[in-house]
Amino acid sequence: MKIRSLFIVVLLLLFALYACNETSPDVIILDDFESPSSLTIWSGTVSLSKEFSAHGKSSLELNSSDGLPLWLESEKLPKDWSRYETLKFDIYNPSSRLYFGYIQICDEQGTDEEAEFHGQSYKWQKVFLNTGWNHFEFLLQNAMVEEGDRPLGLDKIRKFRLSFGSVDHSLYIDNIRLVAGEEGAKTASHIDPRDCRIVIDNRYVYPTLAGLEEKTEPSPEIKRLRAEAEAAVENLEKEVEVAELQGYQTLYQRIPLITADIGLRIRSKLVWFQSEKEERKILKYIIASCSEASNEIEVILSAQKSKVPVLAPENETTSQVFYVPPYPPFNELNPMDGFYRDKEGKPVLIFSMLQINKGPLMDYFAPFNHRLESYTVGGGSRYNIESSPVYEAFHNYSGTHRVGWDGWCGHLIKDRWAMGGKKEDVVICLENPHIRQAILEYMKIHSHEWVENQNLLYNIMAYELQYICYCEKSQQMFHEWLKTKYGKISVLNRIWDTRYQSFAQINAPATHNTRPVDDVNRAAWYDWACFNTRRFTDYLTWIKSEMRKFDQNIPICAGGTSSMLSSSNSVSGIDEEQIINEVDDVILNESGRSTIFSDLFYSLSEEKKVMVEPEMGGEVHGILLQFLHGKSAIAKWWWANAPSREYLQMNQSSLPHSKIISLSDINEVLRIGLDVRRLSSEIAAFTQPEPEVAILYSKTSIVQVPPPLVQAGRTPYIDAVYSVWEGSRFLGCRIGFVSEKQILAGKLAKFKLLIVPAAKYIRPEVVTAVINYIEEGGTAVIIPESFIFDQYARENNSISEFGITITDVTLPPVIGQGEKVQNYDQSFSQTILYGEVQKKITTINKDIFKDNTHTLTLFSNGLVQSIDPGSHQVLARFDDGKAAIVLAQTGNGALYYLAAPLKSEDYHTLLSPLAQKLGLKRPVTGIDQNGKLVTGVEVRAVERKTDFLVYASNLTPEPVEFDLKGSGDPGVIIDLRSLYEVPEGHVKLGPYQETIFKVEKKISH
């Protein structure tokens, strides 16, 4: 009896233990975060929280107050997952924003290095976070490692990791478990029908509502709004029909019907819009926009007075003021003087949407097939390489594989990081004769695709390119290049500090894990990087010559835009200055949202060429500004025909599917499509004035990067380039760049102001040219650290030549690394995070600051130098009294030397009075309520015979007001996009609004 009682007690204890762990043979709870002991299992930005939970009372909170990435990781979990079908977990997102995190599962078949650089783990950006609770089901038995060459080793799991990048609020994770078969209620998480259920099936992600939408009863308000929206749409459709019956072009008024279809029939099917909050926003917009368009038509057709002024007397042939001309046949356009032009020489601006070639949207966009990526650089792409002769050559001949490079393939042709296509490493060597012959065969097969395309305006060999190879042929080519450059091995040894007996002994500097090795010879690396850009440009030139055998007329181009302002340029093989001037018939500029590349590429081109954007990423704001900075043709990314299931983050850049792109934003994009046709001549006029301000583009400082920074994305030089460009764009004048090559060719003389942005590594002869420019009357602003080393990374402090002595340098501390991210061009970067070294700078009322009634306060951003200004004038000091800005009068010119880089807004504070002193041409400027140049809005004017044209682009999410001011009182001012008059030149712009004004000159009597 006692034995039986003891047996029962043991059973009860076991049952209690089982119930406590909530574990069964079909479920293993990896962690439910109900105990402080969880924090011994997990590392990362983690703590326990009772604020949100999907199971039990607690969850794991991910939070970082210092901007570091959110992540959690464990190597203390059960290893054998092989008998389970599903990994389940729940994440709560308290924000209305969507997030896309990475899930990584490592097995014992791959080390951490093999997982990171050779794809030997499951690691994909598949963790889609909708607002509220997200319930994940990861199908274990289908999971493949990133390389795609084997299944994930489920019987030997060693690490599980989730990461989300930098998030400005907490995320909450709960109830991580392995499940076989149907899960019981005891271990299952609480799920509301409005929650989001996400199934991850290897490469594919399927997000849905947890419950059936048709079983969820909408509120009375939503029912009312649905009825009002349908009525507003029906009314507008009738008004449009009547207007078109009278011959009125209704392209602008039909836009609300398009956005209504997107809201009611596309977005309603997507889980990230399936909440009453999102539906309410959609319905209210549809009601307002359709009603406004109906009213516009009613005013026009009933002969009522409108806000649009009458610009000319009416007659029987007068066309409507908003008439948008159709595109002319594209085979009649010619690239000339920076733009495509029709038979009369009028500029024609091309705006298309990725993949849209037919249907109702063709009223708003040019056909996307006006551009073609022919993939002739590599003889195929990640999408079609299996059918290319290159694929056969790659598998059948030795020496066809890339050698010595373990990073991204640069679209030549594909690797595990490639978005799209079958997973397989096909990374080719361009020096191999079999590959080259196969590429020629590919051209012959596919040439009809560009020869027969009547819409084709330019043929892209390929873009987003990068190339580096260490094959035997590459080594031989490098030897010959070195021999041509140095002549004698003794000269090379002196510069490289080496002891080679011959050029043939040299091996190109090695890379490992996508960057040069830590102890690389920096002089040798500089030469290897320069050789690599030279040989790749020569290769592109050869490809172009072969393409010309099939077609002699269509403009050809290629490139790798982002590499020009990237810390990894030295491993890219890209020098756009060479490509633009030696290869491109039109300038290829795939730069996304920023217009800095337009300013750079226009400046680097030795002649005025058409500039084209084949795939404009980024958000939808600032499209007009891209045209105003010189792009003649833009293909916008993108209007997907269906949401992606493999790359869910890409849906947030697809106009009909994106949560961050509102229906109002889509309205603006469609209006831009009409306005760039209607106002093409006015837009083209803004590229006519030549820049009077130039920022130094230093290839040397781009290439000569310490190995640990090569994959950081940015360097101090690149940071300074962006910051000073941002600070100068609100001066009201065009900003350009000047390269080292152009400086040595004597191009500095045409600029009134040169800005040198932390060009730490520089060729000595360039410094000499800058000194001569200043002595001959030029003005320069030099930002530290500039002119400290030569191109071979040998110390060569040239600042002392200006009579300024650097006595000490304080550097910001490195506090960590950001999450490794895949960029829009599929390359990778990992940001280095620095601590803040910010020092207050106070100006002295002298020189450019003399007209200030009060001293100004600026702030340093980055390193701080202690400098001895010698006999030069100090214009600003740090709080410790040391010189912060020094004016050195040198010959007939002036040098403004900064002891620290500044924040972007403080560069504007510095450059604004300097622009005034130099008399930069700015016929009309935007002036804020304090009488200063308006910031946050890019405003620039050009002068014509009887008027001025002024564009204004609000770069901020806030409304802004300012006045247009010129040398005299302006005449009538018309907003050319709305055709409304602007009373007294007082401008009001909404968030991100951009437009063009015509300012009439007052006629003197």
Side-chain angles (χ1 to χ4, degrees):
M1 189 72 177
K2 290 182 179 180
I3 295 175
R4 184 180 176 186
S5 299
L6 181 61
F7 178 72
I8 293 172
V9 170
V10 170
L11 281 178
L12 289 173
L13 287 172
L14 288 173
F15 178 78
L17 181 64
Y18 169 78
C20 181
N21 289 336
E22 297 185 320
T23 303
S24 73
D26 296 325
V27 178
I28 289 183
I29 302 291
L30 298 180
D31 208 326
D32 199 16
F33 308 109
E34 297 299 314
S35 168
S37 63
S38 292
L39 298 180
T40 66
I41 299 174
W42 299 92
S43 56
T45 54
V46 299
S47 61
L48 294 180
S49 172
K50 293 185 180 296
E51 188 166 359
F52 299 100
S53 64
H55 188 267
K57 297 181 179 180
S58 301
S59 64
L60 192 70
E61 179 179 0
L62 271 62
N63 184 272
S64 176
S65 58
D66 53 8
L68 292 172
L70 302 188
W71 61 282
L72 80 160
E73 176 181 296
S74 180
E75 298 183 61
K76 300 176 181 180
L77 302 176
K79 294 183 179 297
D80 189 356
W81 297 10
S82 60
R83 65 178 298 270
Y84 296 95
E85 298 165 2
T86 311
L87 168 68
K88 292 187 176 184
F89 54 94
D90 313 284
I91 303 180
Y92 185 80
N93 170 22
S95 169
S96 61
R97 287 174 290 176
L98 305 181
Y99 293 97
F100 302 89
Y102 282 87
I103 177 171
Q104 183 177 25
I105 305 175
C106 299
D107 60 28
E108 293 181 357
Q109 296 181 48
T111 64
D112 280 353
E113 182 172 317
E114 289 170 332
E116 185 70 20
F117 297 102
H118 302 288
Q120 292 304 300
S121 71
Y122 181 95
K123 184 182 180 183
W124 294 103
Q125 193 176 13
K126 304 299 181 185
V127 185
F128 165 75
L129 295 185
N130 198 18
T131 300
W133 275 110
N134 299 270
H135 306 286
F136 290 87
E137 301 174 22
F138 182 96
L139 305 186
L140 290 166
Q141 301 300 326
N142 298 343
M144 302 286 290
V145 296
E146 186 181 9
E147 182 69 13
D149 58 349
R150 65 176 178 84
L152 185 63
L154 294 175
D155 59 336
K156 295 182 179 179
I157 299 299
R158 64 179 182 83
K159 183 193 295 186
F160 173 73
R161 178 184 174 94
L162 297 174
S163 57
F164 299 93
S166 180
V167 179
D168 61 3
H169 58 80
S170 296
L171 299 174
Y172 302 85
I173 299 178
D174 203 5
N175 202 17
I176 305 176
R177 60 210 188 274
L178 300 172
V179 179
E182 197 73 28
E183 185 178 16
K186 184 169 290 187
T187 60
S189 297
H190 172 74
I191 298 178
D192 184 273
R194 284 286 180 182
D195 290 349
C196 187
R197 175 177 180 250
I198 301 102
V199 177
I200 302 175
D201 187 357
N202 194 32
R203 290 167 59 177
Y204 298 96
V205 182
Y206 305 99
T208 61
L209 286 179
L212 295 176
E213 184 184 18
E214 57 268 23
K215 292 187 176 181
T216 305
E217 179 69 17
S219 68
E221 181 192 17
I222 292 296
K223 289 181 180 180
R224 175 180 58 79
L225 290 174
R226 286 175 181 176
E228 289 182 18
E230 292 290 354
V233 169
E234 183 178 354
N235 184 54
L236 178 55
E237 288 173 337
K238 291 177 180 178
E239 293 287 358
V240 165
E241 183 179 356
V242 171
E244 291 178 345
L245 186 65
Q246 300 177 68
Y248 190 86
Q249 188 192 64
T250 61
L251 293 177
Y252 286 98
Q253 289 76 22
R254 282 200 280 120
I255 290 174
L257 297 178
I258 297 173
T259 54
D261 275 342
I262 293 169
L264 296 175
R265 293 167 180 83
I266 296 177
R267 296 191 167 186
S268 61
K269 297 177 175 67
L270 302 173
V271 68
W272 47 95
F273 288 109
Q274 290 176 335
S275 70
E276 290 211 348
K277 178 182 178 182
E278 295 300 325
E279 186 177 5
R280 186 179 297 109
K281 287 192 292 187
I282 289 171
L283 294 173
K284 286 185 175 181
Y285 178 80
I286 291 171
I287 295 165
S289 61
C290 288
S291 299
E292 182 180 355
S294 295
N295 291 336
E296 284 180 12
I297 295 175
E298 185 178 350
V299 167
I300 293 167
L301 299 186
S302 60
Q304 298 176 35
K305 185 177 181 180
S306 73
K307 294 181 181 179
V308 178
V310 178
L311 301 178
E314 289 186 12
N315 59 54
E316 66 275 10
T317 62
T318 300
S319 63
Q320 64 187 74
V321 291
F322 276 107
Y323 178 76
V324 179
Y327 278 115
F330 281 4
N331 57 9
E332 295 180 2
L333 300 181
N334 290 306
M336 183 172 57
D337 193 29
F339 291 92
Y340 290 106
R341 297 181 184 271
D342 63 17
K343 289 182 176 180
E344 286 76 42
K346 180 181 177 181
V348 176
L349 300 179
I350 313 298
F351 185 40
S352 70
M353 187 66 61
L354 195 75
Q355 302 301 349
I356 299 295
N357 284 308
K358 58 185 179 180
L361 291 177
M362 296 310 297
D363 286 334
Y364 300 90
F365 302 121
F368 176 67
N369 65 3
H370 77 274
R371 40 80 82 203
L372 171 72
E373 186 175 11
S374 55
Y375 301 112
T376 48
V377 171
S381 75
R382 60 193 184 274
Y383 305 110
N384 68 359
I385 189 61
E386 290 80 11
S387 63
S388 169
V390 172
Y391 189 75
E392 184 178 351
F394 181 81
H395 285 289
N396 290 343
Y397 296 101
S398 63
T400 57
H401 296 215
R402 191 88 60 87
V403 176
W405 175 244
D406 57 9
W408 178 55
C409 69
H411 288 320
L412 293 167
I413 301 249
K414 66 176 179 178
D415 51 27
R416 67 183 179 278
W417 295 302
M419 290 185 177
K422 178 184 174 183
K423 290 299 176 188
E424 180 187 5
D425 275 4
V426 183
V427 184
I428 61 174
C429 169
L430 298 179
E431 315 308 331
N432 182 271
H434 297 291
I435 290 293
R436 290 199 173 202
Q437 183 58 41
I439 289 171
L440 297 181
E441 293 172 16
Y442 173 89
M443 279 190 207
K444 187 175 181 180
I445 295 169
H446 291 272
S447 60
H448 71 93
E449 296 170 5
W450 68 80
V451 173
E452 297 171 3
N453 184 347
Q454 294 300 302
N455 285 329
L456 193 60
L457 291 176
Y458 61 97
N459 186 343
I460 313 166
M461 292 187 260
Y463 62 100
E464 297 177 353
L465 290 169
Q466 294 184 11
Y467 183 69
I468 186 171
C469 186
Y470 286 80
C471 66
E472 184 177 345
K473 176 65 173 177
S474 295
Q475 300 281 1
Q476 293 171 0
M477 293 168 66
F478 186 41
H479 297 161
E480 292 302 316
W481 185 86
L482 291 172
K483 190 180 297 183
T484 300
K485 177 177 180 177
Y486 290 108
K488 297 179 179 179
I489 193 66
S490 59
V491 178
L492 178 146
N493 282 330
R494 178 171 53 80
I495 290 177
W496 285 17
D497 192 22
T498 52
R499 292 177 176 81
Y500 292 110
Q501 298 300 310
S502 69
F503 290 102
Q505 289 182 328
I506 298 172
N507 287 320
T511 62
H512 181 62
N513 292 345
T514 74
R515 64 176 178 84
V517 295
D518 287 339
D519 61 350
V520 71
N521 182 314
R522 298 281 295 277
W525 181 257
Y526 173 81
D527 277 339
W528 170 243
C530 290
F531 157 77
N532 204 41
T533 57
R534 180 69 267 164
R535 68 95 167 256
F536 191 47
T537 302
D538 290 345
Y539 175 82
L540 295 175
T541 302
W542 173 72
I543 289 291
K544 180 181 177 181
S545 69
E546 294 296 326
M547 293 174 67
R548 282 287 175 234
K549 295 176 182 178
F550 299 97
D551 179 87
Q552 290 78 46
N553 299 314
I554 295 297
I556 294 173
C557 57
T561 301
S562 65
S563 292
M564 288 297 280
L565 287 173
S566 170
S567 60
S568 63
N569 177 272
S570 64
V571 296
S572 73
I574 294 296
D575 183 340
E576 285 285 0
E577 186 171 16
Q578 292 178 0
I579 294 172
I580 288 169
N581 293 302
E582 299 177 31
V583 180
D584 286 349
D585 297 317
V586 296
I587 301 171
L588 184 74
N589 176 9
E590 193 217 358
S591 56
R593 183 175 180 181
S594 176
T595 55
I596 190 172
F597 287 97
S598 295
D599 294 347
L600 174 61
F601 285 10
Y602 244 113
S603 299
L604 295 179
S605 181
E606 297 304 320
E607 58 182 273
K608 205 163 190 178
K609 296 181 178 181
V610 166
M611 184 184 294
V612 298
E613 164 68 88
E615 189 181 273
M616 180 187 162
E619 298 175 7
V620 295
H621 308 303
I623 295 173
L624 180 60
L625 192 63
Q626 297 280 347
F627 285 106
L628 292 163
H629 275 256
K631 288 179 180 175
S632 184
I634 293 176
K636 181 74 181 79
W637 172 278
W638 66 319
W639 195 294
N641 55 22
S644 174
R645 295 169 297 177
E646 184 172 1
Y647 304 105
L648 259 70
Q649 69 275 20
M650 289 170 55
N651 294 327
Q652 298 313 303
S653 58
S654 171
L655 271 71
H657 307 114
S658 172
K659 188 175 183 181
I660 61 176
I661 299 174
S662 67
L663 295 181
S664 175
D665 291 334
I666 297 175
N667 170 82
E668 169 67 359
V669 172
L670 293 167
R671 293 185 73 91
I672 289 286
L674 301 177
D675 287 346
V676 296
R677 277 153 52 194
R678 185 167 59 88
L679 302 171
S680 57
S681 294
E682 288 81 1
I683 293 170
F686 287 97
T687 64
Q688 297 307 311
E690 291 296 325
E692 296 179 302
V693 179
I695 300 169
L696 172 62
Y697 180 79
S698 169
K699 177 178 178 177
T700 304
S701 287
I702 284 286
V703 167
Q704 209 29 297
V705 174
L709 290 182
V710 164
Q711 294 299 340
R714 294 282 190 95
T715 63
Y717 169 72
I718 296 171
D719 277 337
V721 168
Y722 274 98
S723 291
V724 78
W725 176 80
E726 285 286 348
S728 63
R729 68 190 304 192
F730 304 124
L731 294 178
C733 58
R734 194 173 180 191
I735 305 299
F737 286 82
V738 62
S739 70
E740 293 171 323
K741 181 179 179 181
Q742 290 172 326
I743 287 176
L744 295 177
K747 300 288 180 69
L748 266 185
K750 66 178 183 178
F751 299 108
K752 291 184 177 180
L753 175 62
L754 170 68
I755 304 173
V756 180
K760 187 174 185 176
Y761 304 92
I762 197 83
R763 294 161 64 181
E765 58 268 35
V766 174
V767 178
T768 300
V770 170
I771 293 172
N772 292 338
Y773 160 77
I774 297 172
E775 290 179 343
E776 291 168 7
T779 299
V781 173
I782 296 184
I783 301 164
E785 292 183 299
S786 289
F787 302 168
I788 302 298
F789 294 90
D790 71 7
Q791 66 267 44
Y792 302 108
R794 300 178 301 185
E795 189 169 352
N796 185 42
N797 184 0
S798 300
I799 295 301
S800 59
E801 296 185 36
F802 298 102
I804 297 171
T805 303
I806 302 168
T807 60
D808 190 27
V809 180
T810 302
L811 299 173
V814 175
I815 61 173
Q817 289 183 310
E819 193 75 13
K820 187 175 183 181
V821 296
Q822 189 167 18
N823 305 313
Y824 75 89
D825 62 0
Q826 299 181 41
S827 64
F828 284 83
S829 61
Q830 188 168 23
T831 306
I832 304 296
L833 302 176
Y834 294 95
E836 195 171 81
V837 177
Q838 179 175 289
K839 297 190 70 174
K840 182 180 175 183
I841 298 171
T842 304
T843 63
I844 300 170
N845 292 351
K846 297 179 180 179
D847 192 64
I848 57 174
F849 302 123
K850 67 181 180 181
D851 294 330
N852 297 322
T853 54
H854 304 286
T855 59
L856 303 177
T857 300
L858 315 176
F859 289 95
S860 67
N861 184 34
L863 65 85
V864 176
Q865 291 180 338
S866 295
I867 60 174
D868 180 355
S871 60
H872 300 308
Q873 190 175 28
V874 176
L875 300 183
R877 296 186 182 277
F878 295 112
D879 276 355
D880 59 8
K882 293 181 179 179
I885 302 175
V886 171
L887 170 60
Q889 300 287 351
T890 304
N892 295 320
L895 164 67
Y896 293 84
Y897 187 83
L898 279 59
L902 304 177
K903 295 181 180 295
S904 293
E905 57 269 26
D906 289 333
Y907 281 124
H908 175 79
T909 302
L910 171 70
L911 295 172
S912 183
L914 185 54
Q916 186 72 25
K917 177 182 178 180
L918 296 175
L920 301 183
K921 294 176 184 176
R922 298 175 292 176
V924 179
T925 55
I927 303 299
D928 66 18
Q929 61 182 356
N930 299 315
K932 304 290 186 181
L933 290 172
V934 65
T935 57
V937 183
E938 193 172 302
V939 181
R940 187 161 68 83
V942 292
E943 184 174 5
R944 300 193 297 185
K945 186 175 181 180
T946 60
D947 59 32
F948 302 98
L949 292 174
V950 186
Y951 75 72
S953 179
N954 184 2
L955 307 178
T956 75
E958 303 297 331
V960 66
E961 297 185 33
F962 58 91
D963 295 306
L964 295 178
K965 297 289 186 181
S967 56
D969 292 331
V972 175
I973 301 176
I974 301 293
D975 182 331
L976 293 179
R977 292 195 66 194
S978 67
L979 292 182
Y980 293 171
E981 188 172 336
V982 182
E984 299 179 351
H986 185 71
V987 176
K988 298 179 180 180
L989 295 181
Y992 298 114
Q993 185 180 348
E994 49 186 354
T995 192
I996 302 171
F997 303 101
K998 184 177 76 171
V999 182
E1000 293 182 358
K1001 295 180 178 177
K1002 275 197 172 180
I1003 301 174
S1004 301
H1005 298 286

